[in-house]
Structures are given as C-alpha cells and as structure tokens.
C-alpha cells in the first residue's frame, strides 16, 4: 500500500454553511436540518466563500439564553434577533488548514490542540470542506483500546431534573459550558437532554418561544439513553457513539451516572492511543477498500 | 493617568486590503457600522513590552479607523506595586509557593483605587487587561459602561491563595475574555465568557516588510555576521520563557554547527521588575560562550530591530515553560522564518508540527537542538516550513480577525447603538 497519507481535499466533508448576510434563523434551521442532515457547526461564509466565522450550537444556545447579543436583543427583541445577519454572531475560526495538508498532520494538529474540527480551504482561502471528529470516529470502531471508560470520561457533570424547565436546562448548558445534561431524579438516571434537542424544539416552535422555554425537560429529553459501564473498554463507547449516532454516551453504574463521554473525548482518547499515523492509515485503508469495491461494481 | 499616544501607528483598514482582500474589509465595515461612535477604553499596565501592548498598539488605531472612539490608558503605579503584580502573575501561572502579605494586598488595592479616580472610565465598554488593573472595577462609583476583563494568561491552575483574593473582582465584570477555553478557571460562573485569540499586525513596524539592505544594516550595527546561521529568540527576560534553556539548546547546536550564532532580544517592560534580574542571569549563564548576542531596548533594540533579526534568523526558537499565547511565533512565521517551540499555551495552534515548524516538549533541549540543526543544515526545508508558516498566519492570526472579534463583542455589549449619533 502507498504510504503517502491522504490529503485533506480527499477526506474533507461538505460543511454546513450560511452566507454572512443571511439571517440567524437560517443558522438554526441548518443546525436542526431534516432527518440526519443537521449540523452542530455552521460555517459563515463571506461574499466569495471565504470563511468569515463559525456558529456552533453552543453560541445559539447562548443567544437564546440572553447570554450573548443581549444588547442587540434589547433593541430588536428575540424575534428581531433571528432576522439579524449571521456574521454578527459568528466566532472567528483559527483552525483553517490548507487542502494539501495530509490527514496525518491534521490529526496530529487536532490532538495537540484538542480540536473537534478543522476547516479546509483551497489556495484562494475559499472553503472546501470540514474534517471533524464526527466523521473520523466511525473509522475507529471495532477495536479494543486497552483503556477503560472510567479513565476517559468526564466526571465534572451538570445534571438536571426532569421537572425543570427547558430555560433552566439552557442556562445550565451555557453557564457550565456543557452540551449534554444527564436528567436525574434522586441521582438515578431518567434520560439525557442535549443542546441539539433544545434547538430542535425551539425551531419547531419558533413562534411560541416563551411557551417552549417553559416546557419541562421531561417533554424533550431522550429517555432511552445510550450508556456504557465504567469498566468497559473505550472501544465499546466508540461503537455505541457511532452505531447509535449519538453525540455522547452516559457512563452508568446501575442507575447512577458516573460520567459522560462525548464524541470528541472518545476521538481524542482513541487517536492518542493509536497515534495520528495509525489513525491516518486506518482511514486510508478504508478509502482504498471502498475505491476497490466501487471499481468491482463498475 | 497616562493616555497612550498611538498616532505613530495610525493606519486605516483599507491599508490591509491587499493582504486580507476586499471581502473581509466589506464585512468588517458592516460590523463596525453597528457600533460606530461607541466609546471603548482599554486599560493596561504598560505602554510597551509584552504581548498586550503589542496588540493595543495596532488594535486601537485600527478600531478608530472604522469609526469607534477608542482610548488606551495606562495605570500609574510604583515599583512596589509592580513587584506585587509580578508575584500575582507568577502565582496565577502556577507558582504555588507565593503567598501575598496583607501589606502587598493593601497596596495593590490602594493603587487600583487611586487609578479608578484618575482614569477616564466613562465610556460604553471598558476593557481591563490582565491582573494589574483588575480591582479598579471595585472602586468605580458610577458604572454606566460594560466592563470586560481581558485575561491574557493561563488561569487553568492558579495558586489558590492568590486566586481567592482576585476572584471576587473577576466576578464583578460583565464579561471575561480568555485566550483559550482551557484557561478559564472552573469556578468562574456568572460573567459572560468569550474566547478570543490574539493576532499580529502585518503592517506594524515589527512586522512590515524590510529590504535586505535594511536588515543588513541592523545586523552590522550589532556585530552579527550575516553570512553565518543565526538562531533567534524574542522574549521578555522571564523565567517562564526559559532563557537559560535557550542557551543550553544553543550549546548543543554549536556542537554540530560551530559557526552558529545566537541572538536573544528582549525589552524591559516597566511592569516587570524581574526582567533585569533574569537578564543578568541570562548574561551570566552565557559567559564564556562564543557568538551569543543578548540585546535589549537599552542597546537600542526596538520593533524595527526585532523585525530585522526575525527576518535574518535561520531559525527562531521559543522554549517557553508557560505561555499566554506566544504571539512571537506568529511574528516569526509571518516573516517566513521557521520556528522550533515548546508545546506551551497557544504555540501548538500556530505550529503545525513538521509543516510550519517543529514542536518539542517543555525543557527537551536535546530535541529542540536537533530540530534547529536540521533546519540550519537544510535551507530548503527551512524555506518550505517558513513559507507554510506565513500562509498559516495569513489564514488564522492576522489583526483584522481580532478587530472583527472585538467589534462583535462591542455589538454584544453596547446597548445604545440604536440611538448613537453618526459621526460622519
């Protein structure tokens, strides 16, 4: 097999984008998407597809919680805010990489900086795609990593009761910088509520925002939680994250929440163990196999 | 009160158009229009030396050029105050041995109180930079503006006894700005938190293009041989920058490349009382070692000279033990000079290992020297890494990005934009 690593232009996925002057509402819609098409990260493009910034679900939650753009909200109200151009709310991106860079070097860069994504641009700095943990993680399924979940999980959790309002969930996510809140009663797990769950509910009910924010967490949470045990191998967590297409798995001891592992935690831990070079060659082999099978089909 | 005069650095956004393109200029102007005329006051500890002054020297005139009414003020304080704030700085960076005395705390607060009464703090947004002026907020009687604390240092693992003293003041701010998410202390809950990366100004005297003859003149002035390889380092004289480690690395380089020269450049910021001590230690440590040039502002080294040396260096090293961001790495990369640097602070964001330079572990002088030698022996490799580095900085770390970040933050915080009279 050719040892040259794949280039970013070969592996980058199409990024979800909005134009800089399109309204914030469009960003929300892009995040929620249809079916599985929603994206937590929406890239804001300038007039000629040059990257102007990025808006993540976290930023939108901050806006909805009144944490961000509060001055503008006073002036135009929440509905008015949704009509404001996207680039007002974007964050700058400082991990924009050239399309000729190798996947191996990129994974190394992501590991060094604990990044969940990089944006890929051409020689004219026009966006050509995105490489993110979500699309890399599936290549790491089907392995044992020799490290138990307990060693990788986050223990510093924010939890919420099923009876609390969505607004409270929103505030907890924003102030504690969390995207996933385990829902518990008497410390026993009842479900999980994620930033995406809240955003979807809001977008579906955008005209009744106040009512939506007063809904109880119970109405929105996912009660069929995906979980692993603290002593499970990291590979088990990766398998569940990928096969059940969830952004986090809870770590449970019986009914009690011990911790959480997100896609990013799992990707960084696994890639650290394997090394950037190995991850890159696993992905390359997989690319070669699918190219071969396409050739056979033809 | 000292207002810093930045008229020497005046330039307008349109000057950047050849570098960033007209689209970026257009979107920046669209953001700026929303906060046109907003009064923004930056308060820092020193008008020169270190990354904060470096950024404000460019950000202030650039913000003015897009219609904001921006001032930069520097606190007035005595050497005792700066000795204390240096200790605070070291404690926040993780020196667990430090305990502030009652007297030190009292004086720290007294200086803040005095500056609160003397500085012009009436504006729409007041941005306080770093821990030195942090407690001023407590002593401001009439607070109509939004107050932002811009912390340029890593607070992930602060000395608890010192952090406990500072934290109540931090929580009084409307918003906090950190360089990296990992720098935000876990127990800070309340104010808005923004993550903002610093950046370099490609048109500042420190970064603007220089001709070969200008560079040669600077080398000649300091007796540095232009025909031999140069290892450069630009830093304050500070234990966190590990100047002695740089000399150790150079000794190892010298074994392989006997004609190599080391040029260490630094400026004595007046808020850094340890600078002179570390300078002397560095000079002493280098005693007897040939081809070492340790230069400071006392030797006439300023932005222009640093610019020339960064361009003339074969390789730049930055072997910091702790870093806020390490913007000097981007400065060197912008000039096409490859960098060998430690995995500290924001350095790994600037260096794609093996692509724009090399990363080494903290205090791993053997690997650092090996990488420097590799780049000195292979000019073609140095050229490729340097060129990649320049493009990486262009894509990610130019001042216009920071301007956009600040404009968005002002839009977020300035409530009376609708009624603001237009200046034009």
């Amino acid at each position: 097999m050719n040892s040259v690593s794949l280039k970013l232009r070969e592996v980058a996925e199409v990024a979800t984008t909005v134009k800089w002057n399109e309204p914030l509402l469009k960003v929300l819609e892009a995040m929620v998407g249809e079916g599985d098409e929603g994206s937590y990260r929406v890239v804001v493009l300038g007039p000629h597809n040059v990257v102007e910034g990025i808006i993540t679900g976290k930023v939108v939650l901050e806006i909805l919680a009144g944490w961000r753009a509060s001055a503008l909200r006073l002036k135009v109200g929440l509905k008015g805010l949704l009509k404001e151009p996207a680039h007002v709310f974007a964050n700058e991106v400082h991990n924009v990489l050239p399309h000729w860079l190798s996947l191996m070097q990129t994974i190394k860069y992501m590991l060094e900086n604990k990044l969940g994504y990089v944006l890929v641009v051409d020689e004219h700095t026009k966006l050509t795609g995105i490489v993110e943990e979500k699309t890399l993680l599936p290549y790491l399924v089907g392995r044992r990593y020799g490290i138990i979940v307990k060693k990788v999980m986050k223990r510093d959790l924010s939890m919420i009761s099923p009876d609390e309002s969505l607004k409270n969930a929103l505030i907890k996510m924003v102030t504690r910088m969390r995207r996933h809140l385990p829902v518990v009663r008497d410390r026993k797990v009842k479900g999980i509520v994620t930033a995406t769950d809240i955003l979807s509910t809001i977008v579906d009910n955008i005209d009744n925002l106040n009512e939506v924010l007063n809904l109880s967490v119970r109405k929105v949470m996912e009660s069929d939680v995906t979980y692993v045990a603290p002593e499970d191998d990291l590979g088990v967590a990766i398998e569940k994250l990928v096969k059940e297409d969830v952004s986090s798995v809870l770590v449970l001891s019986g009914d009690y929440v011990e911790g959480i592992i997100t896609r990013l935690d799992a990707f960084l831990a696994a890639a650290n163990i394997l090394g950037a070079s190995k991850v890159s060659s696993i992905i390359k082999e997989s690319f070669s196999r699918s190219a071969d099978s396409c050739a056979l089909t033809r | 009160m000292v207002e810093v005069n930045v008229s020497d650095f005046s330039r307008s956004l349109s000057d950047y158009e050849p570098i960033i393109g007209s689209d970026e200029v257009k979107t920046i102007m669209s953001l700026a229009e929303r906060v046109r005329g907003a009064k923004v006051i930056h308060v820092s500890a020193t008008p020169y030396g270190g990354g904060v002054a470096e950024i404000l020297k460019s950000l202030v005139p650039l913000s003015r050029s897009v219609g904001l009414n921006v001032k930069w003020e520097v606190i007035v304080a005595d050497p005792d105050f700066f000795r204390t704030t240096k200790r605070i700085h070291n404690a926040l960076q993780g020196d667990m041995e430090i305990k502030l005395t009652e007297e030190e705390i009292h004086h720290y607060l007294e200086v803040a109180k005095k500056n609160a009464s003397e500085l012009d703090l009436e504006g729409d947004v007041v941005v306080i930079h770093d821990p030195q002026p942090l407690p001023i907020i407590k002593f401001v009687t009439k607070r109509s503006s939004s107050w932002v604390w811009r912390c340029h240092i890593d607070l992930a693992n602060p000395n608890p006894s010192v952090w406990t003293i500072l934290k109540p003041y931090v929580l009084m701010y409307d918003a906090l700005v950190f360089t990296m998410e990992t720098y935000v202390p876990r127990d800070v809950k309340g104010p808005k938190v923004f993550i903002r990366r610093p950046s370099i100004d490609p048109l500042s005297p420190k970064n603007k293009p220089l001709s070969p003859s200008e560079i040669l003149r600077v080398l000649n002035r300091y007796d540095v041989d232009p025909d031999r390889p140069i290892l450069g380092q630009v830093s304050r004289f500070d234990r966190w920058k590990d100047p002695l480690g740089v000399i150790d690395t150079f000794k190892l380089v010298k074994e392989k490349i006997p004609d190599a020269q080391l040029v260490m450049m630094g400026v004595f910021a007046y808020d850094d009382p340890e600078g002179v001590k570390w300078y002397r230690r560095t000079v002493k440590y280098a005693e007897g070692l040939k081809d070492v040039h340790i230069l400071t502002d006392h030797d006439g080294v300023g932005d222009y000279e640093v610019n020339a040396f960064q361009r003339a260096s074969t390789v730049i090293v930055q072997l910091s033990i702790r870093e806020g961001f390490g913007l000097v790495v981007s400065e060197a990369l912008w000039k096409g000079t490859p960098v060998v640097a430690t995995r500290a602070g924001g350095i790994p964001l600037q260096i794609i290992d093996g692509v724009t330079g090399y990363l080494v572990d903290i205090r791993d002088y053997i690997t650092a020297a090996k990488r420097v030698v590799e780049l000195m022996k292979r000019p073609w490799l140095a050229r490729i890494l340097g060129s990649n580095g320049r493009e990486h900085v262009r894509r990610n770390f130019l001042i216009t990005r920071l301007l956009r970040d600040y404009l968005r933050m002002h839009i977020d915080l300035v409530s009376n934009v609708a009624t603001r009279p237009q200046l034009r």
Side-chain angles (χ1 to χ4, degrees):
Chain A
M1 197 189 81
N2 186 346
S3 64
V4 176
S5 173
L6 289 165
K7 303 292 180 200
L8 287 188
R9 62 175 158 259
E10 297 169 271
V11 290
E13 303 270 328
V14 176
T16 305
T17 61
V18 297
K19 288 281 185 193
W20 65 286
N21 51 2
E22 287 186 305
L24 179 62
L25 183 58
K26 182 115 186 193
V27 176
L28 262 77
E29 288 167 353
M31 276 178 184
V32 174
E34 283 181 23
D36 294 333
E37 297 303 309
S39 171
Y40 184 75
R41 302 176 178 115
V42 176
V43 182
V44 179
L45 295 177
H48 292 98
N49 287 353
V50 172
V51 176
E52 164 103 9
I54 196 160
I55 301 182
T56 60
K58 175 174 169 277
V59 170
V60 174
L61 289 184
E62 286 175 353
I63 295 167
L64 295 170
W67 189 258
R68 192 188 262 242
S70 46
L72 197 53
R73 188 171 177 161
L74 276 178
K75 183 184 153 199
V76 299
L78 184 54
K79 283 189 182 165
L81 215 53
L82 296 174
K83 294 177 190 157
E84 291 288 335
H87 81 138
V88 169
F89 309 98
N91 281 333
E92 292 295 320
V93 188
H94 300 276
N95 31 314
V96 179
L97 301 181
H99 64 130
W100 52 259
L101 196 67
S102 77
L103 179 63
M104 195 267 279
Q105 286 159 330
T106 305
I107 292 171
K108 239 165 108 179
Y109 186 71
M110 291 171 81
L111 288 175
E112 291 277 5
N113 294 292
K114 298 185 171 56
L115 295 174
Y117 75 98
V118 297
L119 297 186
V120 184
V121 295
D122 66 13
E123 55 276 18
H124 307 294
T125 64
K126 289 185 180 176
L127 182 75
T128 58
I130 187 168
V131 172
E132 48 189 341
E133 85 287 42
K134 184 180 172 181
T135 46
L136 296 178
L137 198 59
Y139 295 102
L140 305 181
V141 169
R143 289 168 189 275
R144 289 294 170 265
Y145 288 87
I147 186 169
I148 56 172
V149 156
K150 200 159 71 174
K151 303 262 182 200
V152 178
M153 70 185 189
K154 274 196 196 86
R155 293 160 193 271
D156 178 22
L157 296 175
S158 286
M159 305 206 221
I160 194 156
S161 127
D163 304 320
E164 285 189 67
S165 67
L166 273 198
K167 191 175 177 183
N168 280 358
L170 201 64
I171 290 168
K172 271 195 177 169
M173 283 181 183
V174 168
T175 54
R176 302 195 187 160
M177 296 197 222
R178 292 281 179 267
R179 280 169 61 180
H180 310 88
L181 301 179
V183 183
V184 294
R185 174 171 283 143
D186 301 329
R187 294 188 53 227
K188 288 186 175 175
V189 67
K190 297 290 166 195
I192 186 165
V193 61
T194 68
T196 310
D197 297 333
I198 296 183
L199 286 176
S200 306
T201 312
I202 287 172
V203 170
D204 289 346
N205 300 278
I206 202 79
D207 293 326
N208 303 308
L209 202 53
N210 287 333
E211 284 171 38
V212 173
L213 291 177
N214 285 327
L215 283 176
S216 66
V217 164
R218 190 188 305 106
K219 298 246 161 97
V220 175
M221 72 183 192
E222 180 59 66
S223 43
D224 187 11
V225 295
T226 305
Y227 65 93
V228 289
E231 305 300 326
D232 279 342
D233 187 88
L234 172 64
V236 177
I238 292 177
E239 197 147 328
K240 293 208 172 176
L241 282 162
V242 172
K243 295 214 165 134
E244 302 196 21
D245 192 21
V246 287
S247 53
S248 66
V249 290
L250 291 180
V251 182
L252 301 182
S253 281
D255 283 343
Y256 296 102
V257 183
E258 297 268 320
I260 194 166
I261 294 189
T262 65
R263 271 192 202 119
L264 180 59
D265 301 330
F267 169 70
L268 294 177
N272 253 322
I273 290 165
L274 295 174
S277 175
K278 175 82 178 164
V279 175
S280 165
S281 49
I282 291 168
I283 295 173
K284 184 165 183 185
E285 272 174 41
S286 173
F287 264 62
S288 308
R289 275 200 304 273
S290 46
D292 289 347
S293 66
C294 282
L296 283 175
T297 314
R298 280 201 297 274
Chain B
M1 172 190 93
V2 180
E3 183 182 353
V4 183
N5 181 358
V6 287
S7 57
D8 291 351
F9 308 101
S10 288
R11 58 189 78 99
S12 80
L13 184 60
S14 58
D15 297 335
Y16 294 80
E17 198 170 317
I19 300 169
I20 61 172
S22 57
D23 287 351
E24 197 168 327
V25 170
K26 182 179 169 187
T27 57
I28 288 172
M29 288 313 296
S30 153
L31 290 172
E33 200 55 46
R34 291 169 168 267
V35 278
R36 177 169 282 279
K39 185 175 175 189
V40 179
I41 301 155
H42 290 273
V43 179
S44 74
T46 173
Y48 60 85
V52 178
E54 199 62 48
I55 289 166
L56 290 179
K57 266 193 284 188
S58 297
L59 183 67
V60 170
L62 199 49
S63 305
R64 284 179 187 162
S65 87
V66 297
L68 272 73
N69 174 11
V70 186
K71 283 177 84 170
W72 172 16
E73 298 193 59
V74 173
I75 55 169
V76 175
D78 56 88
D80 280 344
F81 173 85
F82 287 125
R83 263 190 290 278
T84 300
T85 55
K86 183 68 184 183
R87 274 161 53 74
I88 290 175
H89 176 94
N90 290 340
L92 294 177
Q93 295 243 73
D95 185 335
M96 301 297 171
E97 302 297 311
I98 293 172
K99 273 205 170 348
L100 296 182
T101 64
E102 284 300 320
E103 199 182 331
E104 281 179 310
I105 298 165
H106 177 75
H107 188 53
Y108 176 53
L109 297 178
E110 276 302 304
V111 171
K113 190 175 178 182
K114 190 161 187 294
N115 277 280
S117 65
E118 290 177 0
L119 296 173
D120 168 18
L121 299 170
E122 282 290 311
D124 294 300
V125 182
V126 178
V127 187
I128 301 287
H129 292 265
D130 276 345
Q132 299 94 329
L134 169 72
I136 285 178
I137 191 168
K138 177 183 159 62
F139 303 104
V140 175
T141 44
K142 196 175 137 213
R143 256 186 68 191
S144 53
S145 14
S146 293
W147 280 62
V148 178
W149 186 48
R150 175 49 170 118
C151 178
H152 296 265
I153 57 177
D154 178 354
L155 290 190
N157 188 26
N159 172 324
S161 77
V162 173
W163 174 236
T164 307
I165 296 163
L166 265 56
K167 189 178 151 189
Y169 307 114
V170 173
L171 295 180
M172 293 173 88
Y173 283 79
D174 300 298
L176 310 175
V177 182
F178 291 91
T179 303
M180 321 264 280
E181 277 195 23
T182 50
Y183 290 5
V184 185
R186 282 185 178 187
D187 55 346
V188 163
K189 294 188 171 63
K192 295 179 185 192
V193 175
F194 294 90
I195 305 299
R196 299 289 182 254
R197 310 265 194 250
S199 53
I200 64 154
D201 182 351
L203 300 183
S204 71
K206 205 174 181 186
N207 296 313
K208 68 179 184 188
L210 295 180
S211 69
S213 61
E214 288 175 300
I215 296 169
L216 266 176
R217 269 200 294 276
V218 172
L219 297 186
N220 288 337
R221 201 192 320 154
Y222 292 98
D223 225 8
V224 176
D225 187 345
D227 298 326
R228 288 157 53 198
I230 300 170
L231 179 61
Q233 193 232 15
V234 182
S235 263
R236 283 184 294 114
F237 292 93
D238 182 318
R239 64 167 139 160
W240 304 108
K241 309 293 181 190
D242 198 7
L244 309 189
V246 171
I247 292 170
D248 287 337
T249 303
F250 178 65
K251 284 181 191 163
L252 295 169
V253 170
K254 204 73 173 146
E255 287 172 13
K256 302 282 179 194
I257 304 182
D259 63 344
Q261 310 166 86
L262 173 65
V263 180
M264 297 175 79
M265 292 151 277
V267 172
F268 295 115
Y270 71 70
D271 68 334
D272 184 1
E274 290 181 4
V276 173
K277 182 180 97 185
W278 274 94
Y279 167 75
R280 287 187 185 138
R281 279 188 77 171
T282 309
V283 170
K284 193 163 184 336
Y285 199 69
E287 257 174 24
L289 196 59
K290 267 175 63 185
D291 299 319
V292 177
H293 305 260
I294 303 174
L295 307 172
T296 74
D297 46 332
H298 295 180
D299 305 302
V301 168
D303 288 346
Y304 178 82
E305 289 74 19
V306 167
N307 188 346
F309 276 117
Q310 283 176 325
R311 286 176 194 278
S313 292
T314 321
V315 184
I316 290 282
V317 282
Q318 189 67 26
L319 302 182
S320 308
I321 295 163
R322 295 294 288 269
E323 262 302 344
F325 190 70
L327 209 47
V328 71
V329 169
S330 278
E331 285 172 8
L333 293 178
W334 178 247
K335 291 158 187 120
T337 308
V339 179
V340 174
T342 44
R343 295 181 164 88
I347 290 173
L349 271 170
Q350 300 166 77
I351 294 186
I352 308 171
D353 194 26
V355 178
T356 68
Y358 289 116
L359 289 171
V360 297
D361 289 338
I362 290 167
R363 295 197 180 93
D364 182 355
Y365 310 126
I366 294 172
T367 309
K370 205 175 123 199
R371 291 307 197 182
V372 170
V373 169
E374 192 178 318
L375 288 166
M376 284 185 170
K377 285 191 169 170
R378 297 175 180 167
W380 58 270
L381 181 62
R383 201 166 49 244
I384 292 172
L385 266 52
S387 156
N388 291 343
R390 181 175 167 90
E391 290 313 305
H392 186 57
V393 173
R394 187 198 302 277
R395 282 187 294 267
N396 294 289
F397 301 111
L398 292 185
I399 188 86
T400 43
R401 295 290 199 84
L402 187 67
L403 174 65
R404 232 165 27 186
D405 264 340
Y406 265 97
L407 289 171
R408 289 186 184 119
M409 189 174 76
H410 298 330
I411 292 170
D412 201 305
L413 297 171
V414 179
S415 56
N416 53 344
V417 281
T419 54
R420 182 163 307 286
Q422 300 283 299
L423 289 184
R424 276 196 299 209

